[in-house]
Amino acid sequence: MVKTKQYHLSNLLDTYEHIIARCTLIEEVSQAVNFIPNTRIIIKDDVLFYEQEFVQKKNSRLISIDKKYQLLNEFASNLDSLQSFNFVHGDINSSNVLYNGKILYLIDLEPSFRQRKFGKKIVTSAVPLRSLSDIKNKNLSVETDKIGYYLYGMRLIGKPLQFPNKRELSRQRKQGMEFLPIQERLFLQLSFKEIFEKFIKSLQGYC
């Protein structure tokens, strides 16, 4: 079974060359790793067809806390392995990370980080979830992936960071407000595995 999405090229705001390079990388990575479903991208006329192998989602709330730590540890190692491809997902969150009963899958790899939706130009990740550098540059990098992994991990183990007013948080983030456990600049120098070890695994036994 395949999940299909369609994009009009006019709504993908990166250059055509950049979109082609991104799509080629998505296909390459999906074939090289086991935690991203096989993905095929076809362009016909002015429409891009994104086809990704369907992953049957299981309820991650039913897993034991020890199993959750194991999954997050494995997921961190998998995300670190993507660095050899210089690959950025750009929007790691609970909608794009699926548990299939065995591992955590990363899905929905956007062909362009800058898009037009409902007549508005957007970056495909909410402002609060982006690194301060990415907010400033209106782009997405591995920095935003690291923040996404941390927030997802905290949510999975039952210690989610609470953001009651997302609009206000967006405004504050644009002004440089930080919310990570240490200075953001230092946090983003860590690997995914180090983020797991220092800030998620450290909570083991206290959930």
Side-chain angles (χ1 to χ4, degrees), residues 3-203:
K3 175 183 176 181
T4 302
K5 295 171 68 175
Q6 296 183 22
Y7 302 82
H8 283 278
L9 290 177
S10 60
N11 290 328
L12 303 179
L13 303 182
D14 286 318
T15 65
Y16 184 78
E17 292 75 15
H18 188 279
I19 292 168
I20 294 299
R22 169 77 176 168
C23 291
T24 300
L25 182 58
I26 287 172
E27 291 184 333
E28 177 187 350
V29 169
S30 76
Q31 294 169 13
V33 303
N34 70 340
F35 65 99
I36 294 178
N38 286 332
T39 304
R40 184 174 69 156
I41 298 173
I42 303 168
I43 297 177
K44 293 183 179 179
D45 299 324
D46 62 346
V47 179
L48 184 150
F49 297 87
Y50 174 100
E51 299 179 349
Q52 186 169 75
E53 183 181 352
F54 178 76
V55 176
Q56 183 65 50
K57 183 178 181 179
K58 302 291 186 181
N59 190 346
S60 59
R61 295 181 181 179
L62 302 180
I63 352 176
S64 70
I65 189 63
D66 287 341
K67 179 64 175 178
K68 289 179 180 180
Y69 281 111
Q70 178 188 336
L71 289 169
L72 288 170
N73 183 31
E74 293 170 353
F75 193 43
S77 296
N78 287 338
L79 292 173
D80 278 326
S81 74
L82 290 181
Q83 301 315 297
S84 63
F85 297 91
N86 292 319
F87 184 81
V88 174
H89 182 278
D91 196 19
I92 296 177
N93 60 59
S94 57
S95 296
N96 294 331
V97 180
L98 298 185
Y99 174 61
N100 76 333
K102 296 180 180 179
I103 66 171
L104 296 177
Y105 273 92
L106 189 60
I107 65 167
D108 284 350
L109 317 177
E110 294 290 344
S112 174
F113 292 147
R114 287 183 281 266
Q115 299 183 20
R116 183 183 291 108
K117 291 189 176 181
F118 307 109
K120 294 182 63 176
K121 295 180 180 180
I122 66 161
V123 174
T124 57
S125 178
V127 169
L129 306 183
R130 284 183 248 157
S131 73
L132 294 175
S133 175
D134 285 348
I135 292 171
K136 179 180 178 180
N137 296 326
K138 296 182 179 179
N139 197 16
L140 297 174
S141 72
V142 68
E143 292 185 351
T144 289
D145 281 351
K146 289 177 179 179
I147 292 174
Y149 167 76
Y150 171 70
L151 294 176
Y152 172 79
M154 295 297 287
R155 178 172 179 169
L156 183 64
I157 65 172
K159 297 287 184 179
L161 275 66
Q162 301 295 332
F163 302 123
N165 189 330
K166 293 185 178 180
R167 179 175 295 182
E168 177 62 16
L169 178 63
S170 294
R171 186 189 67 79
Q172 293 176 343
R173 286 289 284 167
K174 289 177 181 178
Q175 294 178 348
M177 186 271 283
E178 300 198 7
F179 61 77
L180 296 170
I182 59 173
Q183 189 177 1
E184 185 167 313
R185 176 181 59 83
L186 299 176
F187 181 92
L188 296 176
Q189 291 175 4
L190 302 173
S191 67
F192 288 95
K193 193 65 175 286
E194 288 171 331
I195 291 171
F196 170 76
E197 294 284 346
K198 292 178 181 291
F199 303 112
I200 298 178
K201 184 180 178 182
S202 63
L203 296 173

